[in-house]
Amino acid sequence: MNILDAQNKILDFCSISRTSNELAAMLNLNKSEVYLLLENLVRGRRLIKKGDNKRRANPALFIRVVDVPVVVIDDNTTNNFYAHNPFGLKP
């Protein structure tokens, strides 16, 4: 398994919060190898690390970053309709 495959598996698996132990068990890797992969993903802002590993009762959790869609509104078409619908979402 190469690095990109492992990182993609981590991103798929981290749709909900996961610990490093869960990730190591899923990938069949050592925790130190998993931390190298996680470090690259956190630096690349593809994962968010919540907490720290200093407390065993509350281990660090990793969760995937989800891109928020951006709606662009043309200034010529804005009217009072968008006052209660700031993102221009249609019902």
Side-chain angles (χ1 to χ4, degrees), residues 8-72:
N8 288 333
K9 285 184 181 181
I10 289 173
L11 289 174
D12 291 339
F13 193 61
C14 286
S15 59
I16 60 172
S17 299
R18 304 289 184 170
T19 63
S20 58
N21 289 332
E22 293 173 335
L23 293 169
M26 188 263 306
L27 294 171
N28 294 326
L29 296 174
N30 296 330
K31 277 181 64 172
S32 60
E33 295 170 338
V34 170
Y35 278 122
L36 292 174
L37 296 169
L38 291 173
E39 182 179 350
N40 290 334
L41 290 171
V42 170
R43 282 186 183 172
R45 296 186 178 155
R46 296 174 73 192
L47 278 182
I48 295 174
K49 181 180 179 182
K50 291 184 175 183
D52 57 4
N53 292 333
K54 294 181 180 177
R55 297 182 182 175
R56 291 184 185 219
N58 297 325
L61 297 173
F62 297 91
I63 190 163
R64 181 178 62 198
V65 174
V66 178
D67 294 329
V68 177
V70 177
V71 178
V72 178

Side-chain angles (χ1 to χ4, degrees), residues 62-86:
F62 297 91
I63 190 163
R64 181 178 62 198
V65 174
V66 178
D67 294 329
V68 177
V70 177
V71 178
V72 178
I73 300 173
D74 186 15
D75 290 333
N76 296 332
T77 60
T78 53
N79 55 24
N80 197 18
F81 172 76
Y82 293 109
H84 296 287
N85 191 0

